[in-house]
Each structure stands twice: as structure tokens, then as C-alpha cells.
């Protein structure tokens, strides 16, 4: 047995067992409290210790009632004088307390009499703490936060405040968290010592104690060393997992693919303007990966109109120049056909054959494509999910380009990898959604990253304006004048059908209204239409038979009609910032001056106004993505497009992107030195992976 096999844990280390017990093993947590915690994602003591305070309460200790300065939160010792039962339905129970010189009234609504008499027996001293206010000149405390017997330790002068769900109290959370912290063992250090010293971070156990016991508001107003260290632990575990996955993918021997460059030069010579420096850089990075004997797994990220299609084509031509084939995968038939139209002139310039294969292709036409593909007569295939079918075989697939990769599942990517006959193909995934660097590192940390941060010179700026929807007639009038001179316009609505539950505009109602005004030049597309009808409407718009296309967000990504120069987005305040940017990117692709009208319904909320003003002020997709992250937070950005994004309990991707970058660099460098995690730090890293529930990473550790 190899040393690594003896070291590799077969299960969670016993030292961590207490942290992975049930929450009901903690004091004060019964079935109801446990169920309430579960709604917060807390099911074990481990989850509690990583649920940090969101604020704090300063409690002033006073010697007597006379020293109180209402309103304030105070702690003092009193003697229970008498109970006054409620005088009617909905009236409170009052407990009169004294310190011999003055009175304090404790007020309780909906409290059981037997509980009150047991907790506050007449004649007994109690320590009470809570908010004191004056009512008719008498100091009173409504529902004290703490009631303790004489001799018990009073609450801290500064007490942490935890997030709660219905059915939980601060006292329960604090008591359970204190008990959970006692189960946190002393663990070996997994952070690099030089980083630990440079940042002046405490060890893990100390960091937990400090984060849960703030000494005052200043500790919570800034990111403390303790919190930063705990955030880094989360990020490091995540990046180690991604680095292991990346290494696992690359471990399989790839096939070096090098082209002679002739086909690419033919394409470049046919372009009206040269590629941008960003496009050249991306192609060079991809060519370097393809020439390596390691498998390529790269993400190409570019803003709207940054020229991803050209980069994809030049990359596919490298595979063709080497004697192989390439495939470009698109999530919908509309996008697949559009890619074919965009790539066809480039393929003709290079003198190669390109075809499309979608679910629509049937009979002899489909059979001919499959035969020619298997025999190598088709150089590049553009397709949808139909390419995953077993009957689709390539002669020599070298490169797979996946557009809008989030719409393809992992299982489908595995199927695609199996299409390579001699070896799995290299993979280039593309996204048109600009993602802040911190989120890109988090979601795509296992991929190498190429970013297109320039736009080709042919892209014209788009004039963006905001208009109140009470000026609808004015907008329709302008559209009428524009189409009379040959322009084409998109009109985007937030819903397909009208609903009694929403006052948002439905595409079908807007289509009917515009059709009544402008006649046959109006078409409609939305996701609930049969694919044939949708494609036919889009084809009419592309060909100019239609000049106004009423749509939902089905046109958000990838649709490319250079002649379209007007984008009207109705109820724009109901769309997300990234969505609005993608929709606006459907215009400004041709020679005509383009405009985007953000039509809103007054009054605008503060966030709605900020979204629209941001869009009006900039066309920089990465800047827009950063503002979106600032406004919504990383958690709220997790949707269809970012479903793989982890939810961190402590780390804040918006404010701690530098930590994520450090964690990625550290993880990759460490695994280069210790791929089997055999060193002292490597064994500590295994413990971290178990602690952060990255069990899948354990299975990826090389053991021989």
C-alpha cells in the first residue's frame, strides 16, 4: 500500500465528529428550534460556528434604577415586588421591581402566568437586561432580553447579535453557539505561514472565538483579522477543490494540436478591420493550450460585441489546420443557425466546409450530414443538444467550443468529451455575460480564463435614454418614423401573457397593439411559442420582411441582426442590470446609429433608478456587472447563468475579491509542490476540505 493510501482519509476525521452532530445535541435546542435553524441552513454545530454575528448590542451596567438614562439598553439588579395581572384582553402582565430607591416595571405580552411567577418570584432578586424606556414618567422594560438569578454571570457589556428565523431567540442562538464553539478543536494550520504572518491572522480556533465575541462596534464595522482569516479558509477550500478538479481534467493526456496558420490568415485577410489586441491575445492563449499535450479547459469571457465569434472561429481553424474537426455548441436552434450565418463567410474565406445540425434536421438531409461528418468531409459542425446523440460521430474531433456553457450540464459535457475518437477533445467554453473577476474565480476557478475587454472598431456607441411610460404615444410615433425610413426595432416586454397578479406589460398585448398600428411589419417571439413559429418570425425580421419584433428575453443572448438599430425595453425597471445590458447589446451591430429606450413606470424605486441610471451612463459590461454585484450581492446573482456559484457563509465576494485571487494562486502553487497532500500542511489541508464539506475533493487527490 502506498504511503498516500495510508494517509488519505476514508471518511471524516474523528476530531471533527462533534461539529457534525445534530443541532439538537446542543443546549436549549429542541425539535422546534432545530427546525427553525434548518430554515437558515443550520443543521449541525459546524454550521453554527460559521454563522457569525451581524451586529452587536452594547449593554450598560448600572448600580441603581436612579442611574438609568432612558432610552438605553441596560443591565441592573432588582428585587421583585409584585405581579399585576392583565386587566383585559390584549393587555400586558406587569411585574413591579425595586432597588429600594425606585421602581422598574417589567412588561410582558402573551406570557404565561406560571412561567412569569417561576422566573420572577416575589421577594427574589434578579438581574435583568434590556431596553429601558419611560412610560408616564416610570422606567419600564418590555420583554427583557435576559432574566438571571443572583450569582449568575450577567450578560457581556457588548453582546453579539445573530441572524434569526421565526421560532428562534437571540438567547437560544447565543447559548447554542457558545456550546458549538466549545466543540471546535485545535486543528493543524493549513494556511501558508508567510501569509499568516503577513496578514497577522490568528489561528483557526482563536479566530472563531474572536469573531463570535466582538468587544465593541468597531470590531463589526470593519473586516477584522479574525473574520478575514475565516473567510480565507472558505475560499481556500473552494479553490483547492477547483484546482484538484482542474488537475484531474488535465491529467488525461491531451493530443497536441498545431496548425500551420494558412486558413486563419485567409480569414484575417477577409475582415474589414484587424482583430483587437484582446482577440489576438485570446487566440494566442488558446493556440498555446491546443499545442500542449495537456487537455485544454478554458473560459472565453467577453462583453456584448467584443468579438467572441471570431476568436471561436480562429480557434476551430487551428483544429482544422491540424487535420481534425471542430464543433460549436449553442443552447438554442436560433443561436445555432445564427452562428452558422455568421461563420459561413469566414468558412468560405478559409475554403472549408461548415454545416449545422439541430433537432429540425430530418430524413436524407440529416443522414447526409451524419455520413459526411463521420467521414471527415465536414470540417466544422455547428449544433445544439442534437450533437450529443450517439449516432452523431466525428472523424477526428479536436476542439469543442461551448457557447453559453451554463445551459449545458456536466453530464452533457462528459458526453461531448466522448466524441473524440483518439482522445477527448479540447474544450473552450464561452459566456457573453460579463462576470466580475471575483465571481469568475469562484465559479470558473477550474478553468483558465481569457477575457475580451475591447470592442472591434466597427461597433458604434448606443444612445441610451430613459422615458416615463406615460410618453408611450410619443415613443410609438418615433418608431413609426424610423421604420418608414427602413429601420428595424426590437420591443421587449417582461411577460408573455397578461396576468391579474401583475401589472407588467405582456408581449401578446403589446404585439396586438403595434400590429393594429403598423400592420404586417410586426412579428412576435417568446419562449412559449413552437420553435418553428419562433424561427419563422425571427427569419422574417432578419430578412427585413418584418421591421418590429416584439419579444420577451428570449432574444437576450446572442441574437445578431446588424440592421436592427432601435431597442425599446418596456417596464425596464423590472429587469436585472445584466439582462438590460444584454438586451441593449442586440443593437449597435451595424452601420446605423443605434438607440435604446428604457421605458419605466413611475415612481421608480431607489434601486430601480440606480439600475437604469447605471445603464444610461456606461456601456462597459464589466463595470455594469460590478455595480450589479454591489447592489444585489453575490448570492442574489446566482440564477440560471450562475447556478454553480457556491454560497459562502463568511466570505464576501464583493468586498474580498483579493482574498479569492490569493486563494487561487496559493491553491495551485501548493498542489504543484504537494499533489498528494502528503506534507504536514497537506494533511492539514485535507482536514480543511472535510471541515468545509468538500468531500468530492478528497476523491480527486492523487494517491499514486
Amino acid at each position: 500500500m502506498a504511503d498516500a493510501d495510508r494517509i488519505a482519509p476514508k471518511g471524516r476525521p474523528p476530531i471533527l465528529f462533534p461539529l457534525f452532530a445534530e443541532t439538537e445535541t446542543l443546549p436549549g435546542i429542541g425539535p422546534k428550534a432545530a427546525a427553525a435553524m434548518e430554515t437558515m441552513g443550520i443543521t449541525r454545530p459546524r454550521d453554527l460556528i460559521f454563522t457569525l454575528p451581524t451586529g452587536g448590542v452594547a449593554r450598560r451596567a448600572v448600580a441603581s434604577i436612579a442611574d438609568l438614562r432612558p432610552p438605553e439598553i441596560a443591565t441592573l439588579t432588582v428585587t421583585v415586588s409584585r405581579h399585576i395581572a392583565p386587566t383585559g384582553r390584549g393587555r400586558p402582565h406587569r411585574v413591579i421591581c425595586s432597588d429600594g430607591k425606585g421602581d422598574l416595571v417589567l412588561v410582558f405580552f402573551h406570557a404565561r402566568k406560571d412561567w412569569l411567577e417561576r422566573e420572577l418570584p416575589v421577594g427574589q432578586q434578579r438581574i435583568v437586561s434590556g431596553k429601558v424606556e419611560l412610560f408616564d414618567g416610570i422606567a419600564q422594560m418590555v420583554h427583557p432580553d435576559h432574566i438571571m438569578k443572583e450569582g449568575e454571570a450577567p450578560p457581556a457589556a457588548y453582546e453579539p447579535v445573530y441572524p434569526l428565523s421565526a421560532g428562534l431567540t437571540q438567547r437560544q442562538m447565543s447559548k447554542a453557539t457558545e456550546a458549538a464553539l466549545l466543540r471546535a478543536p485545535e486543528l493543524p494550520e493549513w494556511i501558508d505561514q508567510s501569509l499568516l504572518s503577513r496578514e497577522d491572522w490568528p489561528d483557526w480556533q482563536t479566530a472563531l472565538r474572536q469573531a463570535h465575541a466582538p468587544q465593541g462596534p468597531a470590531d463589526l464595522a470593519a473586516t477584522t483579522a479574525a473574520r478575514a482569516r475565516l473567510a480565507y479558509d472558505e475560499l481556500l477550500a473552494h479553490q483547492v477543490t477547483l484546482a484538484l478538479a482542474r488537475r484531474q481534467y488535465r491529467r488525461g493526456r491531451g493530443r497536441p494540436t498545431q496548425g500551420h496558420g494558412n486558413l486563419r490568415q485567409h480569414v484575417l485577410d477577409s475582415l474589414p478591420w484587424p482583430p483587437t489586441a484582446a482577440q489576438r491575445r485570446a487566440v494566442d492563449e488558446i493556440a498555446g493550450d491546443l499545442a500542449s499535450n495537456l487537455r485544454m479547459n478554458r473560459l472565453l469571457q467577453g462583453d456584448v460585441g467584443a468579438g467572441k465569434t471570431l476568436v471561436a472561429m480562429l480557434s476551430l481553424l487551428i483544429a482544422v489546420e491540424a487535420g481534425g474537426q471542430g464543433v460549436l455548441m449553442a443552447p438554442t436552434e436560433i443561436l445555432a443557425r445564427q452562428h452558422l450565418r455568421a461563420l459561413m463567410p469566414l468558412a468560405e474565406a478559409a475554403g472549408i466546409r461548415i454545416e449545422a445540425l439541430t433537432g429540425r434536421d430530418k430524413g436524407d438531409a440529416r443522414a447526409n450530414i451524419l455520413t459526411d461528418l463521420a467521414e471527415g468531409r465536414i470540417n466544422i459542425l455547428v449544433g445544439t443538444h442534437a450533437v450529443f446523440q450517439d449516432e452523431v460521430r466525428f472523424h477526428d474531433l479536436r476542439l469543442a467550443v461551448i457557447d453559453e456553457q451554463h445551459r449545458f450540464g456536466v453530464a452533457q459535457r462528459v458526453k461531448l468529451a466522448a466524441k473524440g475518437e483518439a482522445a477527448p477533445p479540447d474544450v473552450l467554453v464561452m459566456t457573453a455575460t460579463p462576470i466580475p473577476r471575483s465571481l469568475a474565480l469562484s465559479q470558473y476557478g477550474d478553468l483558465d480564463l481569457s477575457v475580451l475587454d475591447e470592442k472591434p472598431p466597427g461597433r458604434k456607441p448606443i444612445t441610451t435614454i430613459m422615458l416615463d411610460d406615460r410618453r408611450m404615444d410619443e415613443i410609438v410615433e418615433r418608431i413609426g418614423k424610423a421604420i418608414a425610413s427602413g429601420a428595424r426595432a426590437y420591443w421587449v416586454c417582461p411577460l408573455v401573457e397578461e396576468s391579474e397578479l401583475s401589472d407588467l406589460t405582456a408581449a401578446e398585448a403589446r404585439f396586438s397593439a403595434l400590429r393594429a398600428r403598423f400592420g404586417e411589419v410586426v412579428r412576435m417571439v417568446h419562449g412559449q411559442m413552437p420553435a418553428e413559429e419562433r424561427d419563422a418570425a425571427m427569419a422574417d425580421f432578419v430578412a427585413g420582411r418584418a421591421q418590429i419584433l416584439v419579444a420577451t428575453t428570449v432574444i437576450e443572448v446572442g441574437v445578431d441582426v446588424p440592421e436592427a438599430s432601435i431597442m425599446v425595453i418596456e417596464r425596464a425597471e423590472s429587469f436585472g442590470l445584466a439582462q438590460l445590458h444584454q438586451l441593449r447589446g442586440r443593437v449597435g451591430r451595424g452601420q446605423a446609429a443605434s438607440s435604446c429606450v428604457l421605458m419605466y413606470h413611475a415612481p421608480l424605486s431607489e434601486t430601480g433608478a440606480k439600475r437604469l441610471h447605471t445603464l444610461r451612463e456606461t456601456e462597459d459590461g464589466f463595470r455594469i456587472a460590478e455595480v450589479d454585484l454591489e447592489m444585489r450581492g453575490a448570492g442574489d446573482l446566482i440564477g440560471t447563468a450562475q447556478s454553480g456559484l457556491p454560497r459562502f457563509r463568511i466570505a464576501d465576494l464583493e468586498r474580498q475579491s483579493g482574498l479569492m485571487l490569493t486563494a487561487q494562486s496559493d491553491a495551485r502553487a501548493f498542489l504543484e509542490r504537494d499533489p498528494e497532500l502528503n506534507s504536514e500542511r497537506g494533511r492539514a489541508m485535507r482536514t480543511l476540505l472535510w471541515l468545509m464539506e468538500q468531500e468530492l475533493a478528497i476523491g480527486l487527490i492523487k494517491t499514486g
Side-chain angles (χ1 to χ4, degrees), residues 315-372:
S315 302
L316 289 164
L317 286 176
I318 297 174
V320 177
E321 289 171 352
Q325 295 165 294
V327 63
L328 173 59
M329 300 287 300
T332 66
E333 189 162 322
I334 287 178
L335 287 181
R337 297 284 172 188
Q338 181 176 286
H339 276 311
L340 181 67
R341 287 195 302 272
L343 296 179
M344 189 67 80
L346 304 180
E348 289 173 355
I352 64 165
R353 183 180 172 191
I354 185 171
E355 296 286 353
L357 182 68
T358 67
R360 189 200 299 176
D361 297 301
K362 308 289 183 186
D364 290 344
R366 178 183 177 83
N368 290 337
I369 289 175
L370 293 178
T371 299
D372 288 351

Side-chain angles (χ1 to χ4, degrees), residues 37 50 87 125 159 167 187 205 213 224 231 237 240 259 266-267 273 276 287 353 471 494 524 601 630 674 678:
M37 282 185 171
F50 291 140
T87 56
Q125 278 197 332
E159 192 174 49
L187 296 175
Q205 202 180 46
T224 63
V240 167
H266 289 319
V267 167
W273 46 73
T276 64
R353 183 180 172 191
R471 298 171 66 180
M524 176 174 64
H601 185 71
E630 290 169 15
D674 184 12
N678 277 344

Side-chain angles (χ1 to χ4, degrees), residues 33 85 149 268 274 289 335 402 572 583:
K149 296 177 182 177
L268 293 173
D289 284 354
L335 287 181
I402 302 176
L583 288 168

